[in-house]
Amino acid sequence: MSGYVASKYQGKYTITPGIQAMPHVINPAQQGDVSAMIGRFLFPFAVSFLMPLFVHALVKEKEDRIMMMMHMSGLSSKVYYLSHYLHFLLQQWVASVVFIVVGAALQMTFFTRTNPLVYLLLMLLWSHVQVCFAFLLASLFSSSRRALILTYLFVTLSVIVGSMSSVIFQNTVPYAWYIHPSFAMYHALHLITAHASLHHHDPAHFVSGQCQAPVAALMSTHPHWQGKAPRSLPNAQAPSLPTKDRGQTGKEASTSLPAALWLTIPSIAALLGLCQAQATRKHCAHSQMAFLTMPMLPQITDTNALNERKNIMADAYDPQCNVVVKMIEKTFAAGNTAVNDVAFSVQPNIVFGLLGPNGAGKSTLLHMLTGLIAPTSGTAIIAGHDITKEMDRVHCSIGVCPQHDIHWGDLTPMEHMLFYARLRGIPKEHEQAEARRALSEVQLQRQSDQPAHSLSGGEKRRLSIGIALLGNSKVVFLDEPTTGLDPQVRRVIWRIILNAKRHRTVILTTHSMEEADTLCSQIGIMASGALRCIGNQVYLKKEYGSGYRLSLAAAPQKLEVACRFVESILPPSWRRIDRFATTALYEFRSEGSRISEVFLSMQKNKDALGIDDWGLSQTSLEDVFMNIVSNAVDEEPARAHETA
Ligand SMILES: Nc1ncnc2c1ncn2[C@@H]1O[C@H](COP(=O)(O)OP(=O)(O)OP(=O)(O)O)[C@@H](O)[C@H]1O
Ligand SMILES: [Mg+2]
């Protein structure tokens, strides 16, 4: 070959033998640059690990009903979401700064070869997208554990699928792909990492910084993004959005990433708005269509309840009343009417007892009165404010102790009090004093600096009551405040409630008749969602009690004679409830002056008849309760039959 060339060109050209390396195709993934490797696989995780924690925190507050509790204490949804947004954004920024500082300290090319403006802007934008996305995801879960696991799974899948975009879409990645914020972000990270790893590229700047719009600066000014890919970069490995015609569509590619990132924001906002609108529409539609599924009104025969209803319908109730419930009703989505056309009013400075069997609708009624759920129809006036129009004002005038304790395990009782004092709008200079007063009112001074998770059941309950009694709430709702407490603690709480009623109206639900009898000046009994009767103990016992009870105990051989004597002196309405070997129990209604006659006869003849012991008592509130509830149960099948 050399001889041929020499003879052909007569020495003009010669061939010099030598060895030259094959042209080397730069593949960023094979560069051996640690930061490139880390960037490809770990950066996406590093920038996303906080989102599942945000989702977990939001769902946990929903699950533990802390959100509900804060809402009932006057925190508006706007403030709740805004404070979480800022808190999460701050956390994400701190994490981003740590990420950047560590990367720069380790001399990773991602940070050293890229204009800091690029990754700073990217991180700021990403933080916002992450927090918005966390809010969206949190709305899909009700269990925090499941939310945490599934969101981490979601992030992992996003990283894997996102990194495979060039495999999935051979030529062009559709814009829609980047609507998922993670895909857009991971792609941006991949591009910066790949670019930074090109050793022959001018390391000074990934972006020149001439752009006016900072977001557009992310991608649009670099030659590669304008279709001028470095020669050493083969198309298959080019860190750009794959395009059909790179030269022509480079500009499209250059704007697609920021566009995709921005696209996510309105789309998330639109989705959130949609959910909200959907919920509102559902509620409105439900209210409008309520007449179609309107439950039959229960047969209320109680004179007091009927009078109350008449007065409330005519707006002729006492304006002093702190609580006026106006024909309120709640039907849940499943068609279950939990509260059915309830109307009553409550005067200030009294404890109003709301009694009823399990599932009667007491908590649902309280949830409506405290703004936790919206009524299907009807309304209520609490401390002068309508719950359907001025719930924010209502929240400033009420205190709530929910049926189940809702606390932050890590916060102390003092911290709880200070937090809720701030929510209730107590002036800052009085917060400490008010928190201490409330703690002493529920006798928790000794435990004031102990984390709430270490408190006993009774102490936790007292903390919930203390929170309800904070500030100058005009109305305090206590949903079964003493359930599960020992008799001694129960009595402590009774004293607290009796103290509290001096300048407030207390609405108390309970299953303890003894508690209702001791604390309440007015009692309403609910059954199957309806208020069956209302009045003070004397009225209820007179109207619904079975009268009086007479018990006696005698030796077995003398009991028969003693019983015959008792039956002869009792009014004709008597009925024997129990008879055992040595005891008997009778029930009878008072008729005229018979009670005193019975008492005197028993006193006079007990020794002659061999009666060892005897007693006469008025029937208890428990009898009244049983009577009302069993009437309601008997009524149900009849109404079901009528409806059919
Ligand atoms: N979110 C809901 N969705 C559907 N039904 C509900 C909902 N909340 C309550 N209910 C139903 O409403 C009815 C009344 O429940 P509520 O909790 O008000 O009763 P309660 O009188 O407080 O009972 P308890 O004494 O056991 O606390 C029940 O049948 C219950 O299943
Ligand atoms: Mg309840």
Side-chain angles (χ1 to χ4, degrees), residues 359 361-364 403-404 479-480 509 511:
K362 307 180 294 292
S363 294
T364 307
Q403 187 169 349
H404 305 287
D479 200 352
E480 300 187 27
T509 78
H511 286 293

